[in-house]
Amino acid sequence: MNSKNGQDSTRKKRRAIAKDCAYIAVFVALTIATQLCFAAVPGVELVTVLFVSFSFAFGCRSGMISATVFSLLRQLVFGFSTTVLMLYLIYFNLLALLFGFLGKYISLRVKCVPLLTVIACVCTIGFTMLDNVLTPWWLGYSGKLFKMYFWASFSFMIPQVICTAVSVGVLFYPLAKFFKKL
């Protein structure tokens, strides 16, 4: 009798793992396709809203696995860059960890969206600041070149933060609700 219950339990675990793998694969494909579609439009960045809503709904583990797979596969589509790979591996895993954690302790309600939007915008600023550290360090920029890179980054950061505010403010709730229903 226990043997049969053990087999049923093993089958259920395998199905759950297969289901998680399928969700992660489809999510990563959606994220890469979204980034590819909007790559030519400066300042339009929808990857953040996808990651925050997916991680909020599916949790830290699935969010971080997705972040790692996305960071690695993205290199195939957009070309390999060590600094981008490091940046994406660090940033999107931390973002998934944060929003997976928040999803565990904050219920999905419309009144929570402004707070989550502000957190996502702060994270977007953190993305640029992390890039401002990683890229000059990896490429060995001198003091003057480092300063130029730092100040030039604001022309990219400001539109990204605005886009994050709008996209998370508008799309977070319906996306997270959809992902939770899965």
Side-chain angles (χ1 to χ4, degrees):
M1 185 84 171
N2 284 340
S3 174
K4 183 169 171 109
N5 286 342
Q7 288 175 345
D8 287 344
S9 175
T10 303
R11 283 188 190 135
K12 287 180 183 178
K13 286 180 185 176
R14 285 183 183 160
R15 278 191 207 128
I17 290 169
K19 204 174 187 180
D20 284 349
C21 286
Y23 288 143
I24 289 167
V26 170
F27 173 73
V28 170
L30 170 70
T31 306
I32 289 173
T34 300
Q35 192 174 40
L36 188 60
C37 287
F38 291 101
V41 186
V44 174
E45 191 273 316
L46 298 177
V47 173
T48 298
V49 70
L50 291 172
F51 266 104
V52 299
S53 56
F54 182 83
S55 298
F56 190 89
F58 277 88
C60 298
R61 184 176 148 270
S62 292
M64 291 178 75
I65 291 169
S66 299
T68 301
V69 172
F70 167 73
S71 299
L72 295 171
L73 289 178
R74 184 199 175 281
Q75 298 292 306
L76 296 174
V77 176
F78 291 94
F80 185 79
S81 168
T82 307
T83 56
V84 172
L85 178 60
M86 289 188 308
L87 177 65
Y88 275 51
L89 281 171
I90 294 167
Y91 174 75
F92 282 111
N93 274 288
L94 289 175
L95 185 71
L97 180 67
L98 174 62
F99 276 87
F101 178 79
L102 290 172
K104 194 173 186 178
Y105 294 103
I106 296 175
S107 61
L108 181 60
R109 296 187 311 252
V110 174
K111 71 178 187 175
C112 295
V113 172
L115 172 64
L116 296 170
T117 301
V118 168
I119 293 169
C121 288
V122 169
C123 289
T124 301
I125 293 168
F127 174 82
T128 301
M129 293 304 125
L130 181 59
D131 180 47
N132 284 339
V133 171
L134 281 176
T135 300
W137 171 75
W138 185 261
L139 299 176
Y141 288 177
S142 65
K144 186 176 180 182
L145 198 52
F146 170 80
K147 286 178 187 174
M148 289 173 54
Y149 189 84
F150 177 82
W151 291 111
S153 72
F154 284 91
S155 63
F156 294 95
M157 182 184 70
I158 292 168
Q160 281 183 328
V161 171
I162 292 168
C163 184
T164 297
V166 172
S167 65
V168 173
V170 173
L171 298 174
F172 173 80
Y173 183 78
L175 282 171
K177 194 170 183 177
F178 172 76
F179 288 140
K180 281 209 181 255
K181 281 187 179 183
L182 292 176

